[in-house]
Structure formats: C-alpha cells, structure tokens
Amino acid sequence: MRRRLVGLLGCVALLVAVGACSRSKEGTKQAEGTDAGSSAQEARTAQVKLALNWVPEPEFGGFYAARETGAFKRHGLEVNILGGGAGVPVMQMVASGQVEFGIVAADDVLTARVRGVDVIPLFAVYQTSPHGIMVHASRGAKGIKDVLASGTIALEPGLPYAAYLKKKYGFDKVKVVPYDGGVARFVADKDFAQQCFITSEPIAARKQGADPTVFLVAEEGFNPYQAVVITRRELWKEQPERVKAFVAAVREGWSNYLENPDPANAVMAKLNTTMDAETFAAAAQAQKPLIETEETRARGLGTMSRERWETLGRQLVELGLIEKAPSVDEFLLPELTASASKTSP
C-alpha cells in the first residue's frame, strides 16, 4: 500500500510488452501488405512509463487489467508499469520527465503545486479514501472519536489525515505510537488501534484471528482522492491526444477489473508474492465500493470535481500543511472531466 515505512517491501518493476502483428499466410503480396501495416502500427504505438507508489496490489488492478485486456494497445500505447514501494519518489519522477505518468495522493498534488511543481491530475481511482482506523470489535467503539478516547493507537508521523483527526478530536486521551507496518501488536493487544488501508491490514488481522472494526477517515470529513494518476503539464500541452488515450485506456482497464479482477490479480500475484490469491480477491472486493460510486456511474470512473479539490485545499491550509491552496482552474482539466461521462462504462 501507500505511505508505508521505508524497507517494508522492495520495489517491483514490470515491463508491459505488446505482441507484434502476425504475418499473413495468404500470399506474398498480402504478406508484404501485412508487414507494412505492422510497421505502421508499431510506428503509431507510443511507449510510456507509469510509476506506481506501491507494489502491485489491487489498488492498481485496473492498470494491469488495461494491459491484460489490450486496452493500452487499442489506444496506441505500450506501457511500462514500474512497481513502487516506500520512499519511491513518484512525484519527482513525473516532474523531471523520467516517467510520463505516476500514481500519488490528491494531497501530494496540492503540496507539490504549492512548491511550484507543475503536475496535473488526470484520473482518481478511489472516490472514497481507503484510509481508516481499525480497532478491536470487543471495545465497542462507534466511531473514531471513541477510538481516540483511550488505549493506544499507531499512526505514521506526518500523515495529513492524522493531523486532521488530532485537530478534530485531540490526542490527549490516547497514547500515540509509530505505525510499524504490520498487525502483530494489534492482534496481541485488545486495547491497541492503528491506521489501516481497508484492503490491507484489516484483512491480514482477520486471517490471524482478530476481529477488527474499521472506521474510514472519509466518514470524518477528510476524503482526498487516492491513487490519482498525474502527468506533467508540458506533456499535456505537447501530446494531449496521447494523454487522453492513456486516460481512456485506464478507465477501460478499471471497468474490466471491477467486473472481473482475477486475470489482473494473477499477474500481480506473480510480482508481489507477499499476498496470496485469497487476499488479492478479498482486497479487490473490499475496495470496489470505494472506486465505483453513484458519481462514477453518472460521470465515469476516475472522475474528479472542482468542489472536492477546493475542499481539500481549504483543509490543508487549515491544518497548516500549505500556506495557500492553488486555484483549481490551474490544474483541473475540463477536457478530461467532460470526457469521463462520454466514456463511462
């Protein structure tokens, strides 16, 4: 998952290869014509790179599905998907042109833009943030407010949503300790709560016999888009059709993944052997309602609204994480927002 401590998992890289066109067997002239067509097709195919901010897991399923179903190829793209991990500088990789596209969180986009990094968001996988707090069901908590009223909670320092919860409820009644990336202490200690990604820690805890209750941070009013595809504005200006093609292929890939995640899960399982098939399936199921919502059914998967971006900007300012929120008109592309409704599955 994202925002993990350095060293939990290694980086994984996947080269997505597009098969060459086959030679016709209906005669020399036809064969020559087919060869010419193949060469022309290869010439039109653009090779681009997509940098993930974590290792291959269901949160990236739609990108791998876009390859497995041929969506990238149909849109004239050969995509090299670079697996990520803790500390991988996706933002810098995109900003510097090392990769054409990358995956980050919405708050990362605003923070980067405040620093003068001209990146733009193209597609938001998670409409509802999968970040949450999990606690043992035996504690009877009704919400995050109850969780923060006693016991111990593990949180990674510097998380925007941790700052939001601290401002909203205070941490004076709970002991805050660093998040270590695992669930061993949670399983062993009934008074222990921790941050989680809904597709990861709760599933792992249940497999070890625990009974966690999960409260989404989004339900508390802090709901940034997650798994956001970004690119450089320069690329958008120079090659808008290529960017549009990438977004269209990604939307198609996510539509296919939500309908049938098994093929892409099988591919990712070979790249990330720390997760078994059962966990891949459970994670894919758990995240589905966070990706496919009433809004995406109306406007298309990956859709983004200026209202959501404006709200996030105000919240980051209130939390003291940025001094001034950048204008949404500076980075939200109406062309892609409009195209979402036209290509909605």
Side-chain angles (χ1 to χ4, degrees):
M1 288 302 148
R2 302 158 46 259
R3 297 184 181 278
R4 298 300 202 271
L5 301 179
V6 177
L8 292 180
L9 289 172
C11 298
V12 183
L14 172 65
L15 179 62
V16 181
V18 178
C21 297
S22 59
R23 180 181 296 271
S24 172
K25 297 181 180 180
E26 299 179 0
T28 302
K29 292 183 180 180
Q30 290 178 323
E32 290 176 349
T34 302
D35 285 345
S38 297
S39 298
Q41 177 62 39
E42 291 172 0
R44 290 194 298 269
T45 300
Q47 297 186 7
V48 300
K49 296 177 182 178
L50 169 66
L52 309 183
N53 57 353
W54 194 245
V55 297
E57 290 187 355
E59 63 175 307
F60 306 119
F63 304 110
Y64 286 96
R67 189 218 42 192
E68 293 304 302
T69 61
F72 283 137
K73 181 179 180 180
R74 284 191 293 276
H75 287 276
L77 299 170
E78 181 178 338
V79 182
N80 183 3
I81 304 177
L82 305 178
V88 174
V90 174
M91 187 65 71
Q92 293 91 322
M93 293 168 71
V94 173
S96 65
Q98 295 179 54
V99 299
E100 286 79 9
F101 305 97
I103 306 297
V104 299
D107 47 281
D108 294 326
V109 173
L110 296 188
T111 301
R113 290 200 59 82
V114 168
R115 297 198 309 265
V117 181
D118 197 7
V119 293
I120 53 177
L122 305 172
F123 184 100
V125 175
Y126 287 109
Q127 299 294 303
T128 302
S129 173
H131 289 294
I133 302 296
M134 71 179 191
V135 61
H136 288 274
S138 59
R139 285 180 58 178
K142 302 301 182 182
I144 292 179
K145 181 179 180 179
D146 294 338
V147 178
L148 299 176
S150 64
T152 302
I153 185 169
L155 292 169
E156 184 179 340
L159 291 178
Y161 72 77
Y164 178 84
L165 294 176
K166 183 177 181 179
K167 181 176 182 179
K168 185 172 184 178
Y169 295 121
F171 288 168
D172 55 308
K173 297 179 181 179
V174 66
K175 180 181 179 182
V176 180
V177 299
Y179 166 76
D180 65 7
V183 297
R185 185 171 176 183
F186 178 87
V187 173
D189 187 350
K190 298 297 183 181
D191 290 324
F192 190 84
Q194 69 174 71
Q195 70 179 64
C196 68
F197 207 83
I198 196 172
T199 61
S200 181
E201 290 89 351
I203 295 173
R206 291 188 184 99
K207 291 186 69 174
Q208 295 184 39
D211 184 20
T213 296
V214 180
F215 300 108
L216 290 176
V217 177
E219 296 172 350
E220 298 292 337
F222 189 74
N223 187 27
Y225 293 119
Q226 299 292 333
V228 178
V229 180
I230 61 169
T231 191
R232 292 173 294 130
R233 182 181 298 278
E234 182 181 358
L235 182 64
W236 166 250
K237 289 182 176 180
E238 295 177 350
Q239 302 173 357
E241 294 307 316
R242 180 173 299 180
V243 174
K244 289 180 181 180
F246 184 85
V247 173
V250 165
R251 184 170 290 115
E252 185 179 327
W254 271 107
S255 178
N256 286 317
Y257 184 78
L258 291 172
E259 182 177 350
N260 179 20
D262 292 346
N265 281 350
V267 171
M268 292 187 290
K270 295 178 181 179
L271 301 168
N272 177 11
T273 57
T274 65
M275 287 181 66
D276 57 29
E278 181 183 357
T279 301
F280 265 103
Q285 184 64 30
Q287 72 179 10
K288 188 172 181 178
L290 308 183
I291 297 171
E292 189 175 38
T293 65
E294 289 300 323
E295 186 171 12
T296 65
R297 281 186 277 273
R299 301 179 59 194
L301 291 170
T303 189
M304 298 176 290
S305 73
R306 64 177 300 113
E307 293 78 14
R308 288 278 300 275
W309 282 102
E310 287 172 344
T311 296
L312 177 59
R314 288 194 300 269
Q315 290 176 325
L316 295 183
V317 171
E318 292 169 358
L319 294 172
L321 299 177
I322 59 176
E323 292 186 3
K324 181 181 179 181
S327 170
V328 175
D329 293 327
E330 295 177 358
F331 60 83
L332 193 61
L333 302 175
E335 298 94 328
L336 292 178
T337 302
S339 69
S341 60
K342 297 177 182 179
T343 58
S344 178

